Amino acid sequence: MIEKIIRTAWQGEGAGASVRRAIGTHKLPDLDPFLMLDFFKVKLPDGFPDHPHRGFETVTYMLKGSVKHEDFGGNAGEIGPGDVQWMTAGRGIVHAEMPGSYEEESLGFQLWVNLPQNKKMIQPHYQELKKEELPLYKDEKLEVVVISGKYKDVLGKVIPDSTSNFYDIHLDTGAIFKQRIPQGWKGLIYPYFTDKIQINDKILEKDEVAVLIGGDDVVVKNISQSEKVNFILIYGKPMDEPITKHGPFVMNTQEEIFQTFEDYQMAKNGFEKRLNWRSKISKLNQSF
Ligand code: FJE
Ligand code: FE
């Protein structure tokens, strides 16, 4: 069922980057287990220079161009079109995320998935998959890239520390995509490079997203005469735990947020390597 339709608008984020945020705004502060969803657009010298995370996972899915990353533990790399980086920040990561080009805009999605209380302080780790490695369901008029979870009998390779499904879906003219969302779960459909799309009995216009509540099938139809349509579908099982968020730190209680400020400030409990660390790639951003 569609709970509501939300219009997204460009806003500034990071150092000169632009995002169309669907989750993590006053209209939709969170969508348990999801904390934030951005469609981002950025090119050098802009980017997301050195910043911390604790208590959740960040998922970066590239559509166009590339994003370089570098963290305080010496982990570094670059993801290109169709690639995904699933980063479990756990007890603490400090990193930079910067586009690969001064000319071409890098475009993609960044999703933040919450961690349950008993996993918030786990060791940080990465799951990175190239486009070619992502499981793909394909029939005549429909393609589903399974980033996490399961679609029909295609199982995602990412092992999230939460119950969340993340698909990238492409429909040819007239094609229909159908999926049951379990009772009590939450979801969202975010079309991209797409002007109009039908979801259940509603038409979604450009820059709109649909918030879903589980309990029945979601049915998406390409009503365009000639164009392919593209959208991501995320849906997951709510954790039903208190969320106390302060910027890039997401814990259960205010007490834990204060502790996180102290840990970050004092470089302890996972933030040890923060001391004297500066990413090399952020120097691509002159103002930083
Ligand atoms: C940020 C903390 C952050 N959207 N889309 C606070 F981690 C970020 C941030 C991002 C981000 C990074 C990429 Cl590659 C893509 C993003 C937010 O890094 F912007 C704030 N303010
Ligand atoms: Fe980040």
Side-chain angles (χ1 to χ4, degrees):
M1 205 177 76
I2 297 179
E3 185 192 27
K4 56 180 168 179
I5 290 172
I6 295 177
R7 171 163 292 278
T8 62
W10 289 108
Q11 63 182 84
E13 189 49 284
S18 300
V19 303
R20 276 195 3 237
R21 182 161 294 169
I23 305 175
T25 64
H26 59 282
K27 283 187 208 164
L28 190 64
D30 61 79
L31 188 70
D32 195 5
F34 308 108
L35 300 164
M36 193 201 78
L37 178 62
D38 280 354
F39 177 76
F40 65 87
K41 175 172 85 177
V42 60
K43 68 179 180 200
L44 289 173
D46 304 330
F48 302 91
D50 308 6
H51 60 275
H53 295 278
R54 173 183 277 182
F56 59 98
E57 307 183 291
T58 72
V59 184
T60 310
Y61 180 57
M62 289 308 301
L63 298 172
K64 187 169 172 286
S66 68
V67 164
K68 293 186 160 82
H69 66 93
E70 180 186 345
D71 81 12
F72 69 166
N75 194 305
E78 183 166 3
I79 56 171
D83 301 345
V84 65
Q85 183 202 56
W86 195 295
M87 181 186 90
T88 305
R91 64 208 308 257
I93 281 276
V94 183
H95 74 164
E97 295 150 288
M98 301 295 289
S101 167
Y102 284 92
E103 281 90 36
E104 187 194 16
E105 302 267 15
S106 294
L107 300 175
F109 285 101
Q110 188 166 90
L111 173 69
W112 291 6
V113 190
N114 206 4
L115 284 169
Q117 189 265 329
N118 63 345
K119 286 182 177 168
K120 282 193 179 285
M121 294 297 280
I122 61 177
Q123 276 304 119
H125 59 273
Y126 292 88
Q127 299 174 78
E128 211 166 291
L129 290 167
K130 295 277 170 216
K131 180 185 170 80
E132 300 74 35
E133 300 172 295
L134 285 170
L136 177 68
Y137 172 89
K138 206 167 152 62
D139 67 25
E140 247 170 72
K141 295 183 146 201
L142 164 71
E143 269 184 27
V144 181
V145 181
V146 182
I147 297 160
S148 74
K150 189 175 157 183
Y151 177 69
K152 293 193 192 268
D153 48 8
V154 180
L155 192 61
K157 286 186 188 166
V158 167
I159 303 151
D161 288 285
S162 55
T163 308
S164 45
N165 294 262
F166 184 164
Y167 312 151
D168 178 21
I169 300 160
H170 309 279
L171 299 179
D172 290 345
T173 305
I176 290 178
F177 167 87
K178 199 193 271 194
Q179 174 68 30
R180 210 188 87 81
I181 313 289
Q183 184 76 45
W185 290 30
K186 305 284 184 65
L188 188 138
I189 285 176
Y190 198 136
Y192 63 93
F193 309 154
T194 290
D195 285 342
K196 246 187 181 60
I197 191 168
Q198 183 175 344
I199 304 178
N200 298 352
D201 54 351
K202 292 256 177 22
I203 310 273
L204 220 59
E205 305 286 343
K206 188 175 182 300
D207 294 352
E208 291 182 334
V209 304
V211 179
L212 310 172
I213 323 193
D216 60 6
D217 282 354
V218 61
V219 182
V220 185
K221 188 172 180 193
N222 182 353
I223 50 171
S224 145
Q225 297 302 314
S226 56
E227 310 272 317
K228 234 185 181 185
V229 303
N230 316 289
F231 62 96
I232 62 165
L233 166 64
I234 57 171
Y235 65 100
K237 186 182 189 315
M239 289 173 189
D240 287 323
E241 291 182 3
I243 297 169
T244 307
K245 180 156 53 171
H246 197 283
F249 304 132
V250 183
M251 303 301 287
N252 298 109
T253 67
Q254 191 54 243
E255 187 73 30
E256 289 162 348
I257 289 291
F258 289 139
Q259 185 62 53
T260 300
F261 291 154
E262 185 179 308
D263 291 346
Y264 184 69
Q265 184 70 34
M266 307 293 283
K268 58 189 177 72
N269 292 324
F271 286 116
E272 286 79 1
K273 290 175 176 161
R274 180 181 90 76
L275 282 183
N276 302 316
W277 180 80
R278 288 277 184 287
S279 71
K280 292 185 207 75
I281 60 172
S282 285
K283 296 200 178 66
L284 300 167
N285 183 295
Q286 250 61 29
S287 68
F288 188 71

